[in-house]
Amino acid sequence: MTKLEYALLFVKNGISVFPLRHRGKEPESKLISGQWENFTTEIPSISLLERWLSSEWQNYAVVCGWENLVVIDFDNMDYYNIWMLWASTQHEIIRYACETAFKVKTSRGVHVYVRTLEPEVNGKRIKKKGGIDIQAQRKYIVGPGSVHPSGHVYQAMNEFILPVVMGGIDEILPVELFPLIVAEPETGTMPIVEFPPINTEYQSDDPFEIASGT
């Protein structure tokens, strides 16, 4: 799938996106006419998406928090593999959520996309650098199909499924296995935005990052 096709898929599922710089993680200010935070309360139109991404030149960001979207950012493949091994030993509901959750291979690890019943808080697990980030409120991640500054393509690993985790993130990311380092204050829920049915910051330790995104 192309960047535009993925971006349309997110928007049709009630999740906002916005353009980033070519092979970058920074918001493309010339295209969004303001601050990226506007997209925590607005969903772009189909015509805007096509204008932004039809050329495949721009990267794009997915805004966490919409529809209680949470992205678990494994910045280390070892932790991701440990998590998947743990998930394989759990009961069917937990195993299903972990195994079917939409996953995107990043330059160093994996983004895991899930939804929760209640808004989650942002946080870090294991350690501040090279650990696990919980991106949940007023944060964004680089969308699949985009290109990392290193040249790595953010590649989807499975089907686009956003399972709902009934008991919250701790249910599928146990603190006993992945200790909490720091949690950020909850910023509240994202509003529900209506759009036509036929249309539809986060900070990391990456040396390429300037402001936010991963």
Side-chain angles (χ1 to χ4, degrees), residues 34-109:
Q35 300 298 313
W36 80 263
E37 286 87 355
N38 292 340
F39 295 96
T40 63
T41 57
E42 299 174 8
I43 288 182
S45 66
I46 293 296
S47 59
L48 265 180
L49 286 179
E50 291 175 342
R51 190 171 74 189
W52 290 341
L53 301 176
S54 289
S55 70
E56 288 291 303
W57 179 257
Q58 307 292 151
N59 279 350
Y60 72 99
V62 178
V63 182
C64 301
W66 286 94
E67 297 296 321
N68 288 338
L69 175 69
V70 179
V71 176
I72 304 172
D73 179 10
F74 289 91
D75 208 24
N76 178 308
M77 284 303 296
D78 289 338
Y79 292 140
Y80 171 75
N81 291 331
I82 290 171
W83 177 69
M84 288 299 291
L85 180 61
W86 169 85
S88 69
T89 68
Q90 302 305 299
H91 63 74
E92 184 177 358
I93 295 176
I94 299 298
R95 188 169 66 252
Y96 173 84
C98 296
E99 292 178 352
T100 63
F102 184 52
K103 301 176 183 69
V104 175
K105 183 70 176 68
T106 69
S107 63
R108 294 182 297 184

Side-chain angles (χ1 to χ4, degrees), residues 189-206:
T189 61
M190 291 291 184
I192 297 176
V193 176
E194 298 290 339
F195 54 94
I198 59 171
N199 295 334
T200 101
E201 128 194 313
Y202 87 76
Q203 299 183 1
S204 76
D205 303 298
D206 193 317

